[in-house]
Amino acid sequence: MTELPVIGITVGDPSGIGPEIVLAAAAHPEVRARCTPLVIGSRANLDHTIATLGLSVTLADETDAAAPPDAIRVRDVPGVPADLAFGVASAEGGRAAYAYIAEGVALARSGAIASLVTAPINKVAMQLAGLGHTGHTEMLAEMTGAPWSLTLFTVADLRVLYLTRHLSLRDAIARIDQPLVVTTLERFMSVAPMIGLRAPKIAVQGLNPHCGEGGLFGTEDDEILAPAVAEARRRGIDVHGPIPADSVFSQARQGRWDVVLGLYHDMAAAICKTLDFHGTVSTTLGLPFLRFSVDHGTAFDIAGKGIASPENMVRTLLRAAESAEANS
């Protein structure tokens, strides 16, 4: 019998919905058939979550040989109050979330887990903990010393690679230039095999309506994007465009493109989340390991009420298992 890949899952901010969705997803039959989940968090806090919500799950230490087969394995990272209040940003929650991530990184770098899946953290809690307000991706890059990272959103048969991420629309447009496009494409090609893409056909999304309509609606498509595509093709990348944003994503869903290079955050995110909010999975590329995450936040308003849907976390774990299988 083939051994299932071990997927590490950080529970995120313990005051958010992370603990409850992680436990529910780790117990999901389809997930258990595809991988062995290893939950990374405070055992005491997870026990409190189970008791508070009346969850029908069993936890076990990761090394407990006598644990029942359906038990969820836990890498215990103590240090947070077991009964930390749900729905409230706190320094304790921020420090705990950071500790879980650090433990996950160590496990991934040691090869103990095939990849890392992360539940949401809260930027306010991170600030209260004195850890700054950077996001997960920046934190992981700092912890691993990765010089760069890329974000890829996947939903069903659509993959969208981000060119720029957390910038205002004005700043994102100012940031787009030929070197950024070419470098992003080259970096993506260097890691694409990790997600099973050996020779992907890539489309670059146009920036302006109708790609500028010959300069009537802007010149960036003709003066920046088209030359960047030409240069990337000269370097051996199978890339095409720019292609108007109102058609390129539909073309990709029909199978014409394996990946679309989205130019700014909301264009890429809105398309994917509109197609299937709970089915959209974020993949971080460029780290020493693959990292997957849900596409939603800590949802403090519903945390601890037992109504948070684990569907996005289930999809994320299945995507991580799929990639692990492709790399085995």
Side-chain angles (χ1 to χ4, degrees):
M1 182 176 178
T2 303
E3 188 173 346
L4 297 176
V6 179
I7 307 296
I9 322 162
T10 58
V11 302
D13 192 303
S15 293
I17 63 172
E20 57 192 280
I21 64 170
V22 166
L23 291 172
H28 194 279
E30 190 174 359
V31 169
R32 299 303 291 264
R34 298 281 299 280
C35 68
T36 299
L38 175 62
V39 176
I40 303 165
S42 162
R43 172 68 184 268
N45 183 257
L46 290 168
D47 283 334
H48 174 70
T49 299
I50 292 171
T52 300
L53 301 182
L55 301 179
S56 299
V57 297
T58 301
L59 303 185
D61 182 83
E62 61 178 316
T63 60
D64 185 357
D70 62 344
I72 298 172
R73 300 284 177 171
V74 177
R75 165 63 68 100
D76 185 25
V77 184
V80 62
D83 57 351
L84 189 69
F86 288 109
V88 180
S90 67
E92 293 93 338
R95 284 192 291 269
Y98 185 88
Y100 304 157
I101 297 166
E103 187 68 21
V105 167
L107 289 169
R109 299 198 75 169
S110 71
I113 56 178
S115 60
L116 183 65
V117 169
T118 59
I121 61 174
N122 183 273
K123 288 184 173 62
V124 174
M126 303 303 287
Q127 285 185 301
L128 291 172
L131 297 167
H133 63 278
T134 56
H136 248 128
T137 304
E138 293 79 10
M139 202 180 304
L140 288 163
E142 182 179 342
M143 287 180 176
T144 60
W148 55 266
S149 63
L150 301 174
T151 296
L152 179 78
F153 265 24
T154 306
V155 55
D157 51 1
L158 177 65
R159 302 180 189 87
V160 183
L161 179 69
Y162 283 73
L163 181 68
T164 65
R165 291 182 64 250
H166 293 148
L167 297 172
S168 71
L169 180 56
R170 186 186 303 276
D171 289 345
I173 293 172
R175 179 73 179 86
I176 297 169
D177 60 20
Q178 183 175 330
L180 178 63
V181 174
V182 174
T183 299
T184 299
L185 290 169
E186 287 192 313
R187 287 173 173 172
F188 176 71
M189 289 300 297
S190 72
V191 294
M194 294 179 69
I195 54 171
L197 296 176
R198 307 296 171 184
K201 182 172 287 190
I202 305 170
V204 173
Q205 169 216 325
L207 176 64
N208 296 298
H210 311 296
C211 289
E213 199 78 80
L216 291 176
F217 309 136
T219 60
E220 292 89 352
D221 294 272
D222 292 335
E223 295 178 356
I224 297 174
L225 297 179
V229 168
E231 174 60 23
R233 288 183 63 82
R234 189 187 69 79
R235 300 187 186 190
I237 300 173
D238 188 2
V239 59
H240 305 260
I243 299 170
D246 60 5
S247 58
V248 67
F249 298 101
S250 176
Q251 292 175 1
R253 293 195 71 202
Q254 294 167 13
R256 187 170 178 181
W257 316 113
D258 297 307
V259 180
V260 176
L261 180 62
L263 303 184
Y264 56 93
H265 181 278
D266 281 7
M267 171 58 73
I271 289 292
C272 294
K273 293 185 180 184
T274 299
L275 285 173
D276 186 350
F277 186 90
H278 293 293
T280 298
V281 175
S282 175
T283 306
T284 304
L285 302 166
L287 304 174
F289 49 83
L290 284 175
R291 174 258 182 157
F292 302 86
S293 73
V294 293
D295 69 351
H296 58 73
T298 49
F300 278 168
D301 58 324
I302 62 171
K305 297 180 180 179
I307 60 175
S309 171
E311 183 180 351
N312 195 203
M313 180 58 77
V314 169
R315 302 279 193 96
T316 302
L317 285 168
L318 292 175
R319 184 72 66 181
E322 179 184 356
S323 291
E325 291 163 3
N327 288 312
S328 63

